[in-house]
């Protein structure tokens, strides 16, 4: 009877130890199972957070790339528009330059034509002297009053027309050089070479020589440089006289004012009347 409690006690202790051992084993099993599960859950949560973060960054990058691409496309569109505008502007500028050149060429052509017309009209001024010569010759005839009057009227009309046309042309050519006009009158064909030499000298000095005419009815003893406006054209006459005096064949020349109103209507008209040819000296 004394050993029964001992057996029970040992059994209880053995059961307790077995239970404790089983509990420990279960705890180990639970730890070995739950530990990786917890780690896995933590890893999944961390991975999910990282994936979500990278997705947000990826969307931000995509949005930024889309914005950059949109800005680049807009910049390219603006650049294309600017290039198109530049090309259009260059086209208009080229057209404007071509129109300007055409207008300039046309203006220069018209200017040259007007200069040529002015020279030709200037040459008609000799007709005034020719009419005066014809009038002088007519005065020697009997009952010549009617002819003289008619010639005087023709001369006046021609002088008015020439002066009016010359003024209009000079006004149109206001920006060009207005050269003084010189008419040369010889009394003998032997003086033509002298007149040609004088013409060259006058033109090289800036004068315009409108022609060389022979007048056999009106003679002067010594060469005269005639001007028709006092005192406006007196200096011009002095310049022409200085050129004339350089030729020893025209020695003794002088400047003389003439009251011919037809030549005075337009300024800058001069005449050089050659004196009578000198007679050859007897040996």
């Amino acid at each position: 009877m004394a050993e029964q409690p001992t057996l029970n006690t040992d059994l209880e202790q053995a059961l307790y130890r077995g239970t404790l051992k089983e509990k420990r084993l279960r705890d180990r099993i639970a730890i070995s199972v739950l530990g990786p599960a917890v780690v896995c859950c933590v890893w999944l949560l961390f991975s999910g957070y990282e994936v979500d973060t990278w997705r947000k960054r990826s969307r931000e990058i995509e949005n930024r790339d889309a914005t950059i691409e949109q800005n680049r496309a807009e910049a390219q569109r603006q650049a294309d528009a600017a290039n198109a505008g530049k090309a259009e502007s260059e086209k208009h500028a080229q057209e404007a330059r071509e129109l300007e050149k055409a207008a300039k060429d046309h203006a220069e052509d018209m200017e040259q034509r007007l200069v040529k017309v002015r020279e030709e009209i200037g040459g008609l001024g000799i007709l005034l002297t020719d009419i005066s010569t014809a009038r002088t010759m007519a005065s020697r005839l009997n009952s010549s009053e009617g002819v003289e009057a008619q010639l005087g009227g023709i001369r006046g009309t021609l002088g008015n027309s020439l002066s009016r046309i010359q003024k209009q042309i000079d006004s149109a050519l206001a920006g060009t050089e207005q050269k003084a006009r010189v008419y040369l009158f010889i009394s003998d064909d032997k003086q033509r070479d002298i007149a040609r030499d004088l013409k060259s000298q006058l033109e090289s000095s800036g004068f315009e020589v409108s022609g060389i005419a022979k007048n056999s009815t009106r003679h002067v003893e010594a060469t005269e440089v005639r001007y028709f406006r006092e005192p406006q054209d007196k200096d011009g006459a002095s310049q022409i006289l200085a050129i004339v005096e350089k030729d020893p064949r025209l020695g003794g020349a002088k400047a003389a004012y003439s009251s011919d109103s037809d030549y005075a209507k337009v300024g800058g008209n001069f005449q050089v009347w050659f004196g009578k040819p000198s007679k050859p000296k007897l040996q």
Side-chain angles (χ1 to χ4, degrees), residues 8-26:
N8 291 336
T9 300
D10 291 340
L11 181 59
E12 292 175 354
Q13 291 179 351
L15 289 173
Y16 175 75
R17 286 194 296 271
T19 302
L20 182 61
K21 185 176 181 181
E22 181 182 358
K23 182 181 178 182
R24 291 176 177 174
L25 181 60
R26 285 198 298 270

Side-chain angles (χ1 to χ4, degrees), residues 8-259:
N8 291 336
T9 300
D10 291 340
L11 181 59
E12 292 175 354
Q13 291 179 351
L15 289 173
Y16 175 75
R17 286 194 296 271
T19 302
L20 182 61
K21 185 176 181 181
E22 181 182 358
K23 182 181 178 182
R24 291 176 177 174
L25 181 60
R26 285 198 298 270
D27 290 341
R28 289 178 180 177
I29 292 173
I31 291 172
S32 63
V33 172
L34 292 176
V38 171
V39 172
C40 183
C41 289
V42 172
W43 174 254
L44 288 175
L45 290 174
F46 177 76
S47 298
Y49 171 76
E50 288 293 320
V51 169
D52 186 62
T53 301
W54 281 107
R55 283 178 178 175
K56 289 181 179 179
R57 291 182 179 178
S58 177
R59 284 194 295 271
E60 291 175 356
I61 292 172
E62 289 176 355
N63 292 334
R64 185 176 63 188
D65 289 344
T67 302
I68 292 174
E69 182 61 25
Q70 184 179 1
N71 292 337
R72 188 196 67 78
E74 180 64 19
Q76 184 63 38
R77 186 188 67 80
Q78 293 179 357
D80 293 341
N83 289 332
K86 180 181 178 182
E88 187 68 17
S89 298
E90 290 178 349
K91 179 181 178 181
H92 290 325
Q94 180 63 27
E95 291 176 351
R97 286 193 294 268
E98 291 176 354
L99 289 175
E100 181 182 3
K101 183 178 182 302
K104 183 178 180 181
D105 292 343
H106 181 69
E108 290 178 352
D109 180 65
M110 291 301 297
E111 183 177 294
Q112 293 299 322
R113 289 174 182 268
L114 284 175
V115 170
K116 185 65 175 177
V117 171
R118 182 176 65 182
E119 293 176 356
E120 292 177 353
I121 290 177
L124 295 177
I126 295 178
L127 292 176
L128 297 177
T129 303
D130 292 341
I131 294 175
S132 296
T133 301
R135 187 179 180 185
T136 301
M137 295 176 66
S139 66
R140 300 172 184 174
L141 302 176
N142 295 326
S143 302
S144 63
E145 291 81 3
V147 177
E148 290 183 59
Q150 187 175 6
L151 290 174
I154 293 173
R155 189 183 195 279
T157 301
L158 179 60
N160 290 332
S161 299
L162 290 177
S163 63
R164 184 175 63 254
I165 294 173
Q166 288 177 5
K167 287 179 180 178
Q168 291 176 350
I169 294 176
D170 290 345
S171 177
L173 296 174
T176 62
E177 181 183 2
Q178 302 291 334
K179 296 182 179 181
R181 184 175 293 110
V182 183
Y183 301 92
L184 303 181
F185 294 95
I186 61 176
S187 59
D188 190 280
D189 287 330
K190 296 178 180 178
Q191 295 174 327
R192 289 195 179 277
D193 291 339
I194 303 175
R196 293 190 188 97
D197 294 341
L198 180 60
K199 179 177 182 294
S200 299
Q201 294 177 25
L202 289 171
E203 289 175 343
S204 63
S205 298
F207 292 94
E208 180 180 311
V209 179
S210 294
I212 301 172
K214 179 181 177 181
N215 195 314
S216 57
T217 60
R218 300 173 65 186
H219 298 290
V220 293
E221 294 297 328
T223 301
E224 291 184 1
V225 177
R226 296 182 181 179
Y227 62 99
F228 304 93
R229 296 190 309 169
E230 179 74 54
Q232 297 95 320
D233 292 337
K234 189 173 183 179
D235 290 341
S238 298
Q239 295 177 18
I240 296 172
L241 179 61
I243 297 172
V244 171
E245 289 177 335
K246 292 179 180 179
D247 193 326
R249 294 170 295 181
L250 298 173
K254 63 179 181 179
Y257 168 71
S258 175
S259 60

Side-chain angles (χ1 to χ4, degrees), residues 266-280:
V266 179
N269 281 326
F270 301 91
Q271 294 179 349
V272 178
W273 287 76
F274 285 39
K276 293 181 180 180
S278 59
K279 296 181 179 180

